[in-house]
Amino acid sequence: MIVKEAIYHLPKSNFAYAYDKTTLHLRIRTKKNDIEEVWLKIGDPYEWESGGLDGGNLNGSDAKGWSGSVEISMQKELSTDYFDYWFCEYKPLKKRSRYAFILKNSTEKILFGEKRIEELTGNESDEEKLSNISNFFSFPYLNAKDVLDVPEWAKNTIWYQIFPERFCNGKESISPKNVKEWGENPTHDNFMGGDLYGIYEKLDYLEELGITGIYLCPIFMGNTNHKYDTIDYYKIDPHFGDEVIFKKLVEKAHQKGIKIMLDAVFNHVGDEFTLWKDVVKNGSASKYADWFVINKFPLFDLDGSKNYETFANVKEMPKLNLENKDCRKYILDVATYWIKEFDIDGWRLDVCNEIDHKFWREFREEVKSIKQEFYILGEIWHDSLPWLMGDQFDAVMNYPISDAIINFLTSKKLDAKRFEAEINKAIVAYPKNITEVNFNLLDSHDTARVLTVLKDDKRKLKLALLLLFFQSGSPCIYYGTEIGMNGDKYSGCEENRKCMIWDDANQDKELFNFLKILIKIRKDYKEFQDVFIEWKLDEDKNILVMKKETVFLIINLDEILNKTLKVNTYTSNDRIQNLINGIVYSTEEISLEAQEFLLLKNINL
C-alpha cells in the first residue's frame, strides 16, 4: 500500500513555481522507496471535447474529454532521510494550468489531487476521476512578474568576506588613537586600524586569487570595531576612510570584474545614533519616539532594566520600528542612496528576519528600480522560503550547506548517507532559481573559522572547500582562509576576527595556490553550476562518488586505509582528467589516501 500520509505538494512554493516566463517547475514528495512511477497530469483547464469551463462553472461539472491535458513522466529528483522528491517542468501554451499527480507502485495506483486521493483501478471510473479538475491543483496563470528574477551574474560569483577593521591598514594616519599593533590578540573592543585604503591596495591580491565579489562587513560610522552599531548611515566611518576612497574602491573593483556588496544593518542602530539620542533626551515628547520599538517610558527603570527592544539583549543597539512610515522611508532612502551615488552591487541584510515582509517587498521594488541586477542577500540561518519567492530576497546565507559539510567532516566516521540527505534537503528547500544564486559559505565573522572547527587539518580544509565549490550557487571565502588562518569564536573569544596575515613567511602558499586553482576550475566548467548531484556510495570500498554531468568527485571515506581503484569504474569514458593537477588517466589504478579526494572530468579522445 502506498503511504499516503507522506505525500506532499503545495502550489506557489518550492513545489510549484515559475522558473522563467514560459516554464513551470513542479515537485512532489513521497515516502522514500515507496513509489515506482509518478506522472503529472496537467493542462489548460478551458480545453474540452464538449462542455467546459466558463465564468460560472470553473470546476467544469458538465465538461467531457479533457483535450487540453497531457501526462508527463516525473523523474526522481533526489532523496533525503525519509522522502523521495519527484520533479518535472512544463511549458503551458496559454499560461494556465490545472494539474494532479498519478502515483504508482507494485500494488497500487492513485491520483493525488488538491482535495482528496482517488484510487485508480483500471476501470471506466478512472476517466471520470482523471477529468474531474475540481480536485486538481491550480497554477492560475504564469505571470512574468511572478518569475523569480535573480541576478544572472550571481550564479558563479566567487565571494570574499572582509571584516574591514582587521583586513589591512592602508593609512595609519586615520587609525583610532588607541590602535593596537597589527596582529595583536583581538578582543571585542580593541582596534587594529584596518581601513578602505588597505582593501583598495589589496584588490590586485584578490584578483590574483580569482575573487569576483567582495562582501564588506559594515563600513558606516559606528563606535565599535565591528560597526554593527550605526551612528550615521550616510557617513563612512572616519577610521575606515571617506566617500572618496570608497568610490575609488568600487570603481577599481568594477574594472577588475569584482562586485561590491555592503552590509545593511537596518534592524537596529547604535546608541549614539542622533535620532535615538533625541529620544533619550526628550522621552515620549521626541518626534522620533515612534521610530523605535519602545514598550514604555521612561526608557530605563530604577533598577536599570530597559523598556525598549534591541538587537538580542544589547542595550546599546535599540531596534528600529520600520512600521513607522517615516522611519521606513528613511531606511529605503539610505538603501537607494548607496546604489545611486556609489554603484554598489548588493546589500547583505543583517538580522533581516526580524523585520516585516511588507518592508522587504518595498525594499526590493526600490533597489531593483534603480539597478535591476542588484543582489539582495538575507542573513537567515534557518529555512527561509517565505523570503525567497521572488518578492523579497534573491538569496540567503546558506548555513544549512555549511552545517552539512562541517558535520560530515567532523563526524567520527565520514557519514556519506547523512551528508547526502542534508545536502539534498538544502537543494529542495527552495526553487531552483534561488539555489542557483544562493550564498554558500563555510564560516564568517559570526562563527569559528572553519580550519579551527576542523582541528587545523588542512587536508580536510581542502576537502571542505571542494565540497563548497561543488554546490550550485555562489561560494564565499572568509578572509584569510586561503592562507590557512584559524581562530575560535565563543563568549569572550574573537580569534575568528583576528588580523589578516600579510607576512609571506607566515602564509600557507600551497593552500593559496590550491584555492586559486579551485576557483579557476569553478569558473571554467559550467557543470559546477548545475543544481542536482548524482550520488554513489561504494560501501565495500568506502568510496563516495558525487557527479555533475561530466565532472565527478571521488572521496575515500576511510580514516586509516588507503584505497586502490580504477577511475574508469565510475565512468564510461576511457580518458579522465584530474582537474587539480591536469594528469590524464585511462584504465590505470590509482591509490587514494585515507580521506583524500580526486576531482575528475571526462574528456574526449
Side-chain angles (χ1 to χ4, degrees):
M1 295 290 289
I2 292 174
V3 181
K4 300 175 180 62
E5 301 93 319
I7 305 171
Y8 183 75
H9 174 79
L10 181 67
K12 296 279 187 169
S13 72
N14 53 319
F15 284 81
Y17 56 90
Y19 179 70
D20 58 35
K21 294 179 181 179
T22 64
T23 310
L24 295 181
H25 280 184
L26 297 116
R27 174 183 285 150
I28 188 171
R29 187 193 77 187
T30 62
K31 182 180 183 295
K32 191 170 185 176
N33 300 324
D34 186 44
I35 300 297
E36 296 173 357
E37 297 177 28
V38 179
W39 293 80
L40 175 72
K41 187 171 180 64
I42 189 168
D44 188 329
Y46 294 95
E47 294 187 14
W48 296 82
E49 292 177 2
S50 64
L53 282 68
D54 56 36
N57 187 20
L58 290 180
N59 284 327
S61 57
D62 68 336
K64 304 295 181 184
W66 189 15
S67 58
S69 69
V70 294
E71 291 185 4
I72 302 172
S73 175
M74 300 188 74
Q75 302 302 308
K76 187 185 287 188
E77 179 183 23
L78 50 79
S79 299
T80 60
D81 310 73
Y82 306 113
F83 303 110
D84 290 329
Y85 291 82
W86 304 78
F87 174 87
C88 73
E89 65 177 35
Y90 173 68
K91 294 181 180 291
L93 295 178
K94 295 184 178 179
K95 307 292 186 182
R96 308 175 296 242
S97 300
R98 292 289 284 268
Y99 62 95
F101 303 91
I102 301 168
L103 292 79
K104 179 180 179 296
N105 67 11
S106 59
T107 62
E108 194 175 6
K109 185 177 181 181
I110 64 170
L111 176 76
F112 182 79
E114 182 179 54
K115 299 176 182 177
R116 58 190 172 275
I117 296 173
E118 300 274 19
E119 298 288 338
L120 299 176
T121 58
N123 57 33
E124 293 180 359
S125 65
D126 284 0
E127 182 58 34
E128 181 180 348
K129 296 170 185 175
L130 292 168
S131 297
N132 181 10
I133 66 171
S134 65
N135 183 36
F136 278 41
F137 296 97
S138 176
F139 205 103
Y141 201 84
L142 201 169
N143 292 291
K145 188 70 173 176
D146 290 333
V147 174
L148 304 173
D149 189 12
V150 295
E152 184 69 23
W153 59 263
K155 289 184 178 180
N156 204 29
T157 298
I158 312 298
W159 291 101
Y160 189 88
Q161 182 189 354
I162 293 176
F163 192 82
E165 218 283 321
R166 304 285 166 76
F167 185 65
C168 181
N169 189 335
K171 191 172 184 179
E172 293 185 358
S173 62
I174 64 172
S175 297
K177 292 181 180 179
N178 57 344
V179 68
K180 302 296 182 182
E181 184 176 349
W182 193 258
E184 191 167 315
N185 186 53
T187 66
H188 180 71
D189 56 6
N190 65 7
F191 295 85
M192 304 294 183
D195 52 42
L196 296 178
Y197 292 92
I199 298 171
Y200 181 87
E201 288 178 9
K202 299 300 181 181
L203 285 176
D204 290 345
Y205 167 85
L206 297 178
E207 182 182 34
E208 180 191 355
L209 182 59
I211 297 303
T212 53
I214 298 173
Y215 154 39
L216 293 171
C217 288
I219 62 172
F220 305 134
M221 191 173 179
N223 280 327
T224 58
N225 54 40
H226 55 70
K227 309 303 176 189
Y228 284 94
D229 57 340
T230 310
I231 294 175
D232 190 337
Y233 286 105
Y234 286 97
K235 186 175 182 180
I236 289 172
D237 193 283
H239 298 309
F240 287 167
D242 56 22
E243 290 68 28
V244 174
I245 182 59
F246 181 61
K247 182 166 281 192
K248 287 179 63 178
L249 170 62
V250 175
E251 289 173 351
K252 186 176 179 181
H254 284 172
Q255 290 168 8
K256 293 177 176 294
I258 299 173
K259 304 289 186 181
I260 298 292
M261 178 166 63
L262 295 184
D263 216 323
V265 191
F266 297 155
N267 175 69
H268 55 271
V269 296
D271 61 0
E272 291 297 313
F273 186 62
T274 303
L275 306 187
W276 173 252
K277 291 173 71 175
D278 187 271
V279 176
V280 172
K281 178 181 178 181
N282 298 308
S284 59
S286 170
K287 66 178 182 178
Y288 303 110
D290 193 47
W291 280 48
F292 303 92
V293 184
I294 298 169
N295 298 321
K296 66 176 182 177
F297 287 97
L299 294 175
F300 294 94
D301 288 333
L302 293 177
D303 62 1
S305 57
K306 57 184 173 57
N307 293 319
Y308 57 93
E309 300 299 318
T310 63
F311 164 68
N313 291 313
V314 183
K315 64 182 177 62
E316 294 86 5
M317 294 183 178
K319 181 177 174 63
L320 288 168
N321 176 23
L322 287 169
E323 295 182 15
N324 175 288
K325 64 181 180 61
D326 294 326
C327 180
R328 207 176 188 90
K329 184 180 184 305
Y330 174 84
I331 292 297
L332 290 174
D333 287 346
V334 168
T336 55
Y337 169 79
W338 291 92
I339 305 171
K340 289 184 287 189
E341 297 297 322
F342 298 92
D343 197 26
I344 64 169
D345 304 288
W347 281 117
R348 179 264 189 187
L349 309 173
D350 187 62
V351 202
C352 54
N353 55 341
E354 294 188 14
I355 297 171
D356 66 272
H357 292 280
K358 186 177 179 181
F359 173 80
W360 292 127
R361 293 186 182 102
E362 293 177 24
F363 179 91
R364 183 181 185 88
E365 290 288 334
E366 290 285 337
V367 301
K368 295 282 188 176
S369 68
I370 298 168
K371 196 171 188 177
Q372 181 60 38
E373 286 287 288
F374 196 80
Y375 186 60
I376 304 174
L377 172 67
E379 184 214 9
I380 305 179
W381 294 55
H382 50 82
D383 186 280
S384 308
L385 185 63
W387 292 268
L388 295 174
M389 288 306 298
D391 59 344
Q392 296 171 70
F393 307 158
D394 295 315
V396 289
M397 300 181 78
N398 202 359
Y399 280 103
I401 288 287
S402 58
D403 289 344
I405 293 172
I406 288 170
N407 290 338
F408 173 57
L409 295 177
T410 54
S411 58
K412 186 173 182 181
K413 179 183 183 300
L414 301 187
D415 186 344
K417 285 295 184 184
R418 176 81 254 153
F419 180 54
E420 176 185 353
E422 292 303 313
I423 292 293
N424 284 347
K425 282 180 189 176
I427 290 173
V428 296
Y430 308 123
K432 185 180 178 183
N433 318 53
I434 299 298
T435 303
E436 289 172 339
V437 299
N438 234 354
F439 187 92
N440 301 329
L441 66 164
L442 294 172
D443 50 3
S444 72
H445 67 292
D446 284 326
T447 72
R449 285 184 172 270
V450 62
L451 186 56
T452 293
V453 176
L454 297 176
K455 301 188 184 304
D456 292 317
D457 186 337
K458 290 184 180 177
R459 178 184 56 177
K460 283 190 174 182
L461 175 59
K462 289 181 179 180
L463 182 52
L465 290 166
L466 183 51
L467 290 170
L468 179 73
F469 276 63
F470 206 76
Q471 310 306 315
S472 176
S474 299
C476 180
I477 305 302
Y478 187 40
Y479 79 96
T481 297
E482 75 277 10
I483 55 165
M485 283 178 58
N486 59 9
D488 214 342
K489 167 69 174 174
Y490 52 84
S491 180
C493 175
E494 293 198 355
E495 286 290 324
N496 66 324
R497 299 178 181 181
K498 61 188 174 185
C499 293
M500 176 68 176
I501 297 170
W502 292 112
D503 181 358
D504 284 350
N506 291 318
Q507 292 185 343
D508 188 327
K509 295 297 186 181
E510 193 274 333
L511 182 61
F512 179 93
N513 288 327
F514 170 82
L515 185 53
K516 182 178 176 180
I517 291 169
L518 191 55
I519 290 173
K520 186 176 188 305
I521 291 170
R522 170 72 190 226
K523 292 177 180 177
D524 287 348
Y525 297 102
K526 64 179 180 58
E527 291 92 333
F528 290 96
Q529 295 181 34
D530 201 17
V531 170
F532 304 114
I533 301 169
E534 180 183 341
W535 302 78
K536 180 179 178 181
L537 178 60
D538 185 338
E539 296 188 23
D540 292 335
K541 291 187 177 180
N542 228 2
I543 298 294
L544 173 65
V545 181
M546 301 167 61
K547 186 175 181 182
K548 285 189 172 184
E549 301 179 30
T550 61
V551 172
F552 54 108
L553 172 63
I554 302 176
I555 305 172
N556 178 4
L557 303 178
D558 202 291
E559 292 183 295
I560 301 172
L561 299 177
N562 295 350
K563 301 289 182 180
T564 299
L565 53 92
K566 290 185 176 180
V567 291
N568 65 344
T569 302
Y570 307 100
T571 175
S572 59
N573 275 49
D574 290 328
R575 292 169 61 81
I576 302 101
Q577 184 175 28
N578 186 323
L579 291 179
I580 300 296
N581 57 25
I583 295 174
V584 175
Y585 308 110
S586 53
T587 58
E588 63 262 38
E589 292 184 337
I590 299 175
S591 178
L592 194 58
E593 295 181 7
Q595 298 193 353
E596 268 290 356
F597 61 85
L598 290 169
L599 181 62
L600 306 173
K601 178 175 172 58
N602 295 332
I603 58 174
N604 296 326
L605 294 175

